[in-house]
Amino acid sequence: MSNLDRAPVPSLCGGRGFVVAEPVRELLSPRHVKLGGSTEVRRLLPNLGRRMIGAWAFVDHYGPDDIADEPGMQVPPHPHMGLQTVSWLHEGEVLHRDSTGSLQTIRPRELGLMTSGRAISHSEESPRSHARYLHGAQLWVALPDAHRHTDPHFEHHADLPTVTAPGLTATVLLGALDGSTSPGTTYTPLVGADLSLARGADVRLPLVSDFEYGVLSMSGEAHVDGVPVLPGSMLYLGCGRTELPLRAESDAALMLLGGEPFEEELVIWWNFVGRSQEEITQAREDWTKGTRFGEVHGYDGAPLRAPELPPTPLKPRGRVR
């Protein structure tokens, strides 16, 4: 999924300087962003209060939207570098195309994982014949320096491991949780899990104390460590936790995102994750000239035009709180 802002604000983040080393409860409110067609998203990361959670650097939550008489998601071809995109659905379908030749329909609780590496372009759209409702999340994972120039590739995993407890089913989409490991490729220690809670569930989920965590509410009414988290909002939890209390007032769905704090300093602008102004400028120029990022075949429409770079210099630095 693309950042469709025509004047995207650079996110200067990474580094351990602003990682909270103890358990906290910071409730993050979303920013509402139009994403083409009839889709509006709630952007939780980057956020004025929190830029990253582990290597998770971008989180959009969208829906549930009634798109029965609408085109639904329509995101034209656009570039990425230095990151992985994670597509996760609760309702609907998304058709993925990319410049490596991948063509895949992603359905609910299936993992669509695209590693951009040095450069890739892709499009995402609701199929012409699609389900009435569209509801999901799109997330980015920053790649560490050792792997950010890797060959681009796409993975689709329909069969993912689960962790169960009374009233809880946790689907592990990336990383590991309570001994269950996703088949998705990761490049830093992290976890992403979809938590389905039955009404009345009162459980404790095991965590890794060295990780920092956040919980995104997808639907329903749930309390995370005693804090009510409404759909479309996220609770940042800091580090130092070995377990997480969860209680559901109704059937509810959450996403647990966590990972080892990301040490490297980053510049994130538009759809690029880099380390310097020069890298971002060169990536924009390459996309504008039609080089490096390849071509997406089969999408009915023109590629996205890159926004103008901001007038102020982009400099990497530590995380922003």
PDB file of all heavy atoms in Angstrom, residues 229-253:
ATOM      1  N   VAL A 229      -9.198  -0.114  24.470  1.00  0.00           N
ATOM      2  CA  VAL A 229      -8.626   0.289  23.190  1.00  0.00           C
ATOM      3  C   VAL A 229      -9.710   0.127  22.126  1.00  0.00           C
ATOM      4  O   VAL A 229     -10.159  -0.981  21.850  1.00  0.00           O
ATOM      5  CB  VAL A 229      -7.380  -0.558  22.833  1.00  0.00           C
ATOM      6  CG1 VAL A 229      -6.743  -0.040  21.545  1.00  0.00           C
ATOM      7  CG2 VAL A 229      -6.364  -0.520  23.967  1.00  0.00           C
ATOM      8  N   LEU A 230     -10.142   1.253  21.551  1.00  0.00           N
ATOM      9  CA  LEU A 230     -11.234   1.251  20.583  1.00  0.00           C
ATOM     10  C   LEU A 230     -10.718   0.935  19.190  1.00  0.00           C
ATOM     11  O   LEU A 230      -9.549   1.193  18.874  1.00  0.00           O
ATOM     12  CB  LEU A 230     -11.940   2.605  20.593  1.00  0.00           C
ATOM     13  CG  LEU A 230     -12.584   3.021  21.913  1.00  0.00           C
ATOM     14  CD1 LEU A 230     -13.196   4.410  21.785  1.00  0.00           C
ATOM     15  CD2 LEU A 230     -13.637   2.003  22.344  1.00  0.00           C
ATOM     16  N   PRO A 231     -11.566   0.395  18.313  1.00  0.00           N
ATOM     17  CA  PRO A 231     -11.142   0.081  16.943  1.00  0.00           C
ATOM     18  C   PRO A 231     -10.534   1.291  16.242  1.00  0.00           C
ATOM     19  O   PRO A 231     -11.057   2.404  16.305  1.00  0.00           O
ATOM     20  CB  PRO A 231     -12.452  -0.358  16.270  1.00  0.00           C
ATOM     21  CG  PRO A 231     -13.265  -0.938  17.387  1.00  0.00           C
ATOM     22  CD  PRO A 231     -12.950  -0.074  18.578  1.00  0.00           C
ATOM     23  N   GLY A 232      -9.396   1.056  15.591  1.00  0.00           N
ATOM     24  CA  GLY A 232      -8.706   2.124  14.890  1.00  0.00           C
ATOM     25  C   GLY A 232      -7.717   2.886  15.738  1.00  0.00           C
ATOM     26  O   GLY A 232      -7.094   3.831  15.256  1.00  0.00           O
ATOM     27  N   SER A 233      -7.531   2.480  16.996  1.00  0.00           N
ATOM     28  CA  SER A 233      -6.521   3.109  17.848  1.00  0.00           C
ATOM     29  C   SER A 233      -5.485   2.065  18.249  1.00  0.00           C
ATOM     30  O   SER A 233      -5.688   0.861  18.081  1.00  0.00           O
ATOM     31  CB  SER A 233      -7.151   3.748  19.090  1.00  0.00           C
ATOM     32  OG  SER A 233      -7.809   2.777  19.879  1.00  0.00           O
ATOM     33  N   MET A 234      -4.365   2.541  18.782  1.00  0.00           N
ATOM     34  CA  MET A 234      -3.260   1.650  19.143  1.00  0.00           C
ATOM     35  C   MET A 234      -2.725   2.029  20.508  1.00  0.00           C
ATOM     36  O   MET A 234      -2.589   3.211  20.829  1.00  0.00           O
ATOM     37  CB  MET A 234      -2.140   1.722  18.096  1.00  0.00           C
ATOM     38  CG  MET A 234      -0.902   0.919  18.441  1.00  0.00           C
ATOM     39  SD  MET A 234       0.428   1.127  17.213  1.00  0.00           S
ATOM     40  CE  MET A 234      -0.195   0.058  15.918  1.00  0.00           C
ATOM     41  N   LEU A 235      -2.398   1.016  21.295  1.00  0.00           N
ATOM     42  CA  LEU A 235      -1.799   1.228  22.604  1.00  0.00           C
ATOM     43  C   LEU A 235      -0.334   0.816  22.545  1.00  0.00           C
ATOM     44  O   LEU A 235      -0.020  -0.338  22.242  1.00  0.00           O
ATOM     45  CB  LEU A 235      -2.531   0.417  23.670  1.00  0.00           C
ATOM     46  CG  LEU A 235      -2.086   0.650  25.122  1.00  0.00           C
ATOM     47  CD1 LEU A 235      -2.475   2.059  25.576  1.00  0.00           C
ATOM     48  CD2 LEU A 235      -2.693  -0.395  26.056  1.00  0.00           C
ATOM     49  N   TYR A 236       0.572   1.787  22.797  1.00  0.00           N
ATOM     50  CA  TYR A 236       2.001   1.487  22.875  1.00  0.00           C
ATOM     51  C   TYR A 236       2.312   1.031  24.298  1.00  0.00           C
ATOM     52  O   TYR A 236       1.881   1.653  25.275  1.00  0.00           O
ATOM     53  CB  TYR A 236       2.837   2.709  22.507  1.00  0.00           C
ATOM     54  CG  TYR A 236       4.325   2.494  22.685  1.00  0.00           C
ATOM     55  CD1 TYR A 236       5.019   1.658  21.819  1.00  0.00           C
ATOM     56  CD2 TYR A 236       5.032   3.117  23.717  1.00  0.00           C
ATOM     57  CE1 TYR A 236       6.382   1.444  21.969  1.00  0.00           C
ATOM     58  CE2 TYR A 236       6.392   2.909  23.874  1.00  0.00           C
ATOM     59  CZ  TYR A 236       7.062   2.068  22.999  1.00  0.00           C
ATOM     60  OH  TYR A 236       8.412   1.854  23.168  1.00  0.00           O
ATOM     61  N   LEU A 237       3.111  -0.056  24.417  1.00  0.00           N
ATOM     62  CA  LEU A 237       3.288  -0.722  25.701  1.00  0.00           C
ATOM     63  C   LEU A 237       4.709  -0.658  26.246  1.00  0.00           C
ATOM     64  O   LEU A 237       4.954  -1.111  27.368  1.00  0.00           O
ATOM     65  CB  LEU A 237       2.864  -2.196  25.581  1.00  0.00           C
ATOM     66  CG  LEU A 237       1.386  -2.411  25.256  1.00  0.00           C
ATOM     67  CD1 LEU A 237       1.159  -3.837  24.770  1.00  0.00           C
ATOM     68  CD2 LEU A 237       0.529  -2.114  26.472  1.00  0.00           C
ATOM     69  N   GLY A 238       5.673  -0.127  25.448  1.00  0.00           N
ATOM     70  CA  GLY A 238       7.040  -0.079  25.912  1.00  0.00           C
ATOM     71  C   GLY A 238       7.685  -1.455  25.972  1.00  0.00           C
ATOM     72  O   GLY A 238       7.229  -2.409  25.342  1.00  0.00           O
ATOM     73  N   CYS A 239       8.779  -1.555  26.735  1.00  0.00           N
ATOM     74  CA  CYS A 239       9.526  -2.808  26.900  1.00  0.00           C
ATOM     75  C   CYS A 239       9.355  -3.343  28.324  1.00  0.00           C
ATOM     76  O   CYS A 239       8.634  -2.767  29.142  1.00  0.00           O
ATOM     77  CB  CYS A 239      11.014  -2.573  26.632  1.00  0.00           C
ATOM     78  SG  CYS A 239      11.432  -2.027  24.976  1.00  0.00           S
ATOM     79  N   GLY A 240      10.028  -4.458  28.600  1.00  0.00           N
ATOM     80  CA  GLY A 240      10.092  -4.973  29.961  1.00  0.00           C
ATOM     81  C   GLY A 240       8.911  -5.803  30.394  1.00  0.00           C
ATOM     82  O   GLY A 240       8.766  -6.092  31.589  1.00  0.00           O
ATOM     83  N   ARG A 241       8.082  -6.246  29.457  1.00  0.00           N
ATOM     84  CA  ARG A 241       6.919  -7.068  29.812  1.00  0.00           C
ATOM     85  C   ARG A 241       7.191  -8.542  29.518  1.00  0.00           C
ATOM     86  O   ARG A 241       7.785  -8.885  28.493  1.00  0.00           O
ATOM     87  CB  ARG A 241       5.688  -6.640  29.018  1.00  0.00           C
ATOM     88  CG  ARG A 241       5.205  -5.231  29.329  1.00  0.00           C
ATOM     89  CD  ARG A 241       4.045  -4.857  28.411  1.00  0.00           C
ATOM     90  NE  ARG A 241       3.559  -3.508  28.669  1.00  0.00           N
ATOM     91  CZ  ARG A 241       2.561  -3.226  29.509  1.00  0.00           C
ATOM     92  NH1 ARG A 241       1.953  -4.208  30.151  1.00  0.00           N
ATOM     93  NH2 ARG A 241       2.170  -1.983  29.694  1.00  0.00           N
ATOM     94  N   THR A 242       6.722  -9.399  30.396  1.00  0.00           N
ATOM     95  CA  THR A 242       6.789 -10.842  30.155  1.00  0.00           C
ATOM     96  C   THR A 242       5.418 -11.429  29.842  1.00  0.00           C
ATOM     97  O   THR A 242       5.324 -12.570  29.396  1.00  0.00           O
ATOM     98  CB  THR A 242       7.377 -11.580  31.366  1.00  0.00           C
ATOM     99  OG1 THR A 242       6.587 -11.298  32.531  1.00  0.00           O
ATOM    100  CG2 THR A 242       8.827 -11.130  31.615  1.00  0.00           C
ATOM    101  N   GLU A 243       4.365 -10.648  30.079  1.00  0.00           N
ATOM    102  CA  GLU A 243       3.019 -11.093  29.725  1.00  0.00           C
ATOM    103  C   GLU A 243       2.120  -9.880  29.542  1.00  0.00           C
ATOM    104  O   GLU A 243       2.447  -8.775  29.996  1.00  0.00           O
ATOM    105  CB  GLU A 243       2.435 -12.025  30.797  1.00  0.00           C
ATOM    106  CG  GLU A 243       2.278 -11.390  32.157  1.00  0.00           C
ATOM    107  CD  GLU A 243       1.669 -12.338  33.180  1.00  0.00           C
ATOM    108  OE1 GLU A 243       1.636 -13.554  32.911  1.00  0.00           O
ATOM    109  OE2 GLU A 243       1.217 -11.863  34.243  1.00  0.00           O
ATOM    110  N   LEU A 244       0.996 -10.118  28.851  1.00  0.00           N
ATOM    111  CA  LEU A 244       0.066  -9.026  28.554  1.00  0.00           C
ATOM    112  C   LEU A 244      -1.352  -9.454  28.898  1.00  0.00           C
ATOM    113  O   LEU A 244      -1.894 -10.382  28.282  1.00  0.00           O
ATOM    114  CB  LEU A 244       0.146  -8.649  27.081  1.00  0.00           C
ATOM    115  CG  LEU A 244      -0.767  -7.501  26.634  1.00  0.00           C
ATOM    116  CD1 LEU A 244      -0.387  -6.213  27.354  1.00  0.00           C
ATOM    117  CD2 LEU A 244      -0.687  -7.307  25.124  1.00  0.00           C
ATOM    118  N   PRO A 245      -1.980  -8.786  29.887  1.00  0.00           N
ATOM    119  CA  PRO A 245      -3.373  -9.113  30.214  1.00  0.00           C
ATOM    120  C   PRO A 245      -4.326  -8.574  29.142  1.00  0.00           C
ATOM    121  O   PRO A 245      -4.232  -7.418  28.728  1.00  0.00           O
ATOM    122  CB  PRO A 245      -3.609  -8.386  31.552  1.00  0.00           C
ATOM    123  CG  PRO A 245      -2.252  -7.986  32.049  1.00  0.00           C
ATOM    124  CD  PRO A 245      -1.409  -7.804  30.826  1.00  0.00           C
ATOM    125  N   LEU A 246      -5.254  -9.410  28.705  1.00  0.00           N
ATOM    126  CA  LEU A 246      -6.266  -9.053  27.717  1.00  0.00           C
ATOM    127  C   LEU A 246      -7.634  -9.481  28.230  1.00  0.00           C
ATOM    128  O   LEU A 246      -7.799 -10.597  28.736  1.00  0.00           O
ATOM    129  CB  LEU A 246      -5.997  -9.762  26.378  1.00  0.00           C
ATOM    130  CG  LEU A 246      -4.650  -9.493  25.708  1.00  0.00           C
ATOM    131  CD1 LEU A 246      -4.432 -10.464  24.564  1.00  0.00           C
ATOM    132  CD2 LEU A 246      -4.576  -8.054  25.219  1.00  0.00           C
ATOM    133  N   ARG A 247      -8.609  -8.591  28.069  1.00  0.00           N
ATOM    134  CA  ARG A 247      -9.975  -8.909  28.482  1.00  0.00           C
ATOM    135  C   ARG A 247     -10.933  -8.366  27.437  1.00  0.00           C
ATOM    136  O   ARG A 247     -10.816  -7.209  27.015  1.00  0.00           O
ATOM    137  CB  ARG A 247     -10.274  -8.295  29.855  1.00  0.00           C
ATOM    138  CG  ARG A 247     -11.682  -8.560  30.369  1.00  0.00           C
ATOM    139  CD  ARG A 247     -11.789  -8.224  31.862  1.00  0.00           C
ATOM    140  NE  ARG A 247     -11.358  -6.875  32.150  1.00  0.00           N
ATOM    141  CZ  ARG A 247     -12.156  -5.798  32.077  1.00  0.00           C
ATOM    142  NH1 ARG A 247     -13.433  -5.943  31.701  1.00  0.00           N
ATOM    143  NH2 ARG A 247     -11.697  -4.607  32.377  1.00  0.00           N
ATOM    144  N   ALA A 248     -11.885  -9.193  27.016  1.00  0.00           N
ATOM    145  CA  ALA A 248     -12.810  -8.812  25.948  1.00  0.00           C
ATOM    146  C   ALA A 248     -14.202  -8.579  26.511  1.00  0.00           C
ATOM    147  O   ALA A 248     -14.769  -9.453  27.160  1.00  0.00           O
ATOM    148  CB  ALA A 248     -12.859  -9.892  24.880  1.00  0.00           C
ATOM    149  N   GLU A 249     -14.755  -7.389  26.229  1.00  0.00           N
ATOM    150  CA  GLU A 249     -16.125  -7.073  26.607  1.00  0.00           C
ATOM    151  C   GLU A 249     -17.123  -7.590  25.566  1.00  0.00           C
ATOM    152  O   GLU A 249     -18.308  -7.723  25.848  1.00  0.00           O
ATOM    153  CB  GLU A 249     -16.286  -5.560  26.764  1.00  0.00           C
ATOM    154  CG  GLU A 249     -15.354  -4.930  27.789  1.00  0.00           C
ATOM    155  CD  GLU A 249     -15.586  -5.471  29.184  1.00  0.00           C
ATOM    156  OE1 GLU A 249     -16.753  -5.722  29.544  1.00  0.00           O
ATOM    157  OE2 GLU A 249     -14.590  -5.679  29.899  1.00  0.00           O
ATOM    158  N   SER A 250     -16.635  -7.821  24.355  1.00  0.00           N
ATOM    159  CA  SER A 250     -17.424  -8.401  23.268  1.00  0.00           C
ATOM    160  C   SER A 250     -16.472  -9.227  22.421  1.00  0.00           C
ATOM    161  O   SER A 250     -15.266  -9.249  22.696  1.00  0.00           O
ATOM    162  CB  SER A 250     -18.058  -7.288  22.413  1.00  0.00           C
ATOM    163  OG  SER A 250     -17.046  -6.562  21.724  1.00  0.00           O
ATOM    164  N   ASP A 251     -16.971  -9.908  21.425  1.00  0.00           N
ATOM    165  CA  ASP A 251     -16.045 -10.495  20.464  1.00  0.00           C
ATOM    166  C   ASP A 251     -15.163  -9.382  19.927  1.00  0.00           C
ATOM    167  O   ASP A 251     -15.654  -8.311  19.553  1.00  0.00           O
ATOM    168  CB  ASP A 251     -16.803 -11.157  19.320  1.00  0.00           C
ATOM    169  CG  ASP A 251     -17.531 -12.425  19.751  1.00  0.00           C
ATOM    170  OD1 ASP A 251     -17.286 -12.908  20.885  1.00  0.00           O
ATOM    171  OD2 ASP A 251     -18.356 -12.931  18.969  1.00  0.00           O
ATOM    172  N   ALA A 252     -13.862  -9.604  19.901  1.00  0.00           N
ATOM    173  CA  ALA A 252     -12.938  -8.525  19.538  1.00  0.00           C
ATOM    174  C   ALA A 252     -11.763  -9.082  18.752  1.00  0.00           C
ATOM    175  O   ALA A 252     -11.436 -10.271  18.836  1.00  0.00           O
ATOM    176  CB  ALA A 252     -12.442  -7.802  20.791  1.00  0.00           C
ATOM    177  N   ALA A 253     -11.133  -8.195  17.982  1.00  0.00           N
ATOM    178  CA  ALA A 253      -9.941  -8.554  17.212  1.00  0.00           C
ATOM    179  C   ALA A 253      -8.881  -7.489  17.421  1.00  0.00           C
ATOM    180  O   ALA A 253      -9.162  -6.283  17.317  1.00  0.00           O
ATOM    181  CB  ALA A 253     -10.273  -8.702  15.735  1.00  0.00           C
TER     182      ALA A 253
END
